[in-house]
């Protein structure tokens, strides 16, 4: 029996579907505003011409936190 948490950890992170330019932009946003909501960061990105799903922002934020980058 595998727990749902384990299955979730084995899945490919949603943010891996983003291109390099979008990930770089999102990285800078998260470094500058680590406490901002995913919705707010998506709005900032949209104003810059990038459409980033909220679940990708959450996924990347989680990854950066696990690496102690933010």
């Amino acid at each position: 029996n595998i727990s749902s948490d384990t299955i979730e950890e084995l899945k490919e992170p949603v943010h891996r579907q983003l291109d390099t330019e979008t990930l770089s932009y999102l990285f800078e946003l998260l470094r500058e505003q680590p406490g901002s909501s995913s919705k707010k960061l998506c709005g900032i990105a949209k104003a810059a011409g990038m459409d980033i799903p909220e679940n990708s922002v959450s996924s990347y934020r989680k990854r950066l936190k696990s690496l102690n980058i933010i």
Side-chain angles (χ1 to χ4, degrees):
N1 292 331
I2 299 175
S3 72
S4 59
D5 289 338
T6 302
I7 291 171
E8 190 64 32
E9 289 295 321
L10 294 174
K11 290 182 183 177
E12 182 174 332
V14 181
H15 69 270
R16 299 269 319 250
Q17 298 172 3
L18 299 175
D19 61 44
T20 304
E21 180 184 358
T22 304
L23 274 176
S24 295
Y25 185 76
L26 183 54
F27 178 79
E28 291 302 322
L29 280 179
L30 286 166
R31 277 190 18 180
E32 292 173 3
Q33 301 182 40
S36 293
S37 70
S38 295
K39 186 174 186 171
K40 181 179 179 179
L41 295 175
C42 287
I44 293 169
K46 191 164 192 83
M50 295 182 179
D51 191 23
I52 306 174
E54 283 186 51
N55 61 347
S56 293
V57 174
S58 298
S59 171
Y60 197 45
R61 180 193 318 266
K62 183 178 176 181
R63 177 69 176 149
L64 293 178
K65 281 184 177 182
S66 75
L67 296 172
N68 293 318
I69 294 173
I70 60 169

